[in-house]
Amino acid sequence: MPYAMGMNARLPILTSTLLLTMALSHAADPISQKPFGELNGQAVTAYTLTNAHGMSAEILDLGGIVRRLHVADKDGKMADIVLGCKDVDSYINDSPYFGCITGRYANRIANGKFTLDEKTYTLATNNDPNHLHGGNVGFNKKVWKAEAAVKDGDPTLTLTYVSPDGEEGYPGELTSVVTYSVTKDNALKITYKATTDKPTVLNLTHHGYFNLAGHDSGKTILDHDLQLHCDAFTPTDATAIPTGEIRKVAGTPFDFTKPHAIGARVDAENQQLTYGKGYDHNFVINGEAGTLRPVARVVHAPSGRVMEMQSDDHGVQLYIGNFLDGSFEGKDGVTYQHRQGFCLECQRHPDTPNQASFPSAVLRPGETYTKTTVYQFSTQ
Ligand code: BGC
């Protein structure tokens, strides 16, 4: 009986089948959801997307906020690597835009005014003289319609928000659809689509604050090594509005074309660093906009975590949490210190509606705004 197995030979197979079954029964569901409070009587829900490796993202239908992002270190230990708030109230009233979708226009519009097709529009000036991140009640403070499903094998959350004509002073009814997925190769992938019924301006982005040591590590991000595939940046005036110049980074503290610790030159003598209180600048991504291409690579050597970012947008805002000052209590009772998180926000350049030399941020009826950003995680 050459093919018959004795009891002893079967045991290892039975044991491994049992272990596999146990492991599978303990594997997290790819999608789960739970209530996260309410906003003006509207329920807010937290969705958790988990891939087969255990990487997970907790995303709120409030503002499309990525509230938690669990990523493995070089020893397989998970940590939550994004800063976040404790509850809805804190996200609405205190949050420095942690993890949200900013819109309609990410970053600043000078003096809250722009002219489109000879008509001037006035927006809220919620950042000294300027308009910031869509105004008083931007897309980060809206409850989006959510649909969770496994698509192409990846847990995916699709969020839709219809912004009425005139909301926050912007023209046109704008329908935005933002899709998050946690992919099988450990990326948080974000796609954006939008259409309008009147000419308008638009600039959507994801405003995650990352700390690859863990949001609760108590450490700043100054020891993270950053490489930016950007040969130029947009210098700003004293109110953080671009001057219109596209300046080469070579020879300046903005040169991250080769990897450097974020903190290596952040306090160097440079007029731009004074104005932005550290890095708070937009860079021009090398290569062709409209094509998904490398933007940044960030390495945190002690944990071995690596974040690689790709986008098809024109620019990326590097902001390193200069305005965090230890007074803000976030989730899990953690108090965030100065420069405890960095943001890499792919977007059109700030103030594009007033800057004729920058690539346009105008969206017209019949056109579809599309863009993709990928934050990919690995270890080394
Ligand atoms: C801006 C900063 C701002 C931060 C939080 C960033 O995108 O560039 O100037 O302080 O968002 O609002």
Side-chain angles (χ1 to χ4, degrees), residues 95-98 102 106-108 127 132-133 205 207 209 239-240 276 279-282 317-323 343 345 347 350:
S95 175
Y97 299 88
F98 282 157
T102 45
N107 212 285
R108 294 174 176 80
N127 186 248
L132 178 69
H133 295 329
T205 195
H207 205 292
Y209 285 62
T239 67
Y279 297 114
D280 189 354
H281 291 78
N282 206 267
Q317 184 80 8
L318 170 65
Y319 170 61
I320 59 164
N322 303 304
F323 296 109
C343 304
E345 311 156 45
Q347 55 187 249

Side-chain angles (χ1 to χ4, degrees), residues 288-327:
E288 189 110 348
T291 310
L292 198 63
R293 60 209 192 285
V295 176
R297 184 167 196 269
V298 189
V299 178
H300 178 246
S303 67
R305 287 194 185 88
V306 177
M307 181 175 103
E308 280 165 297
M309 192 182 173
Q310 293 181 291
S311 173
D312 53 10
D313 214 331
H314 290 267
V316 58
Q317 184 80 8
L318 170 65
Y319 170 61
I320 59 164
N322 303 304
F323 296 109
L324 297 173
D325 62 2
S327 63

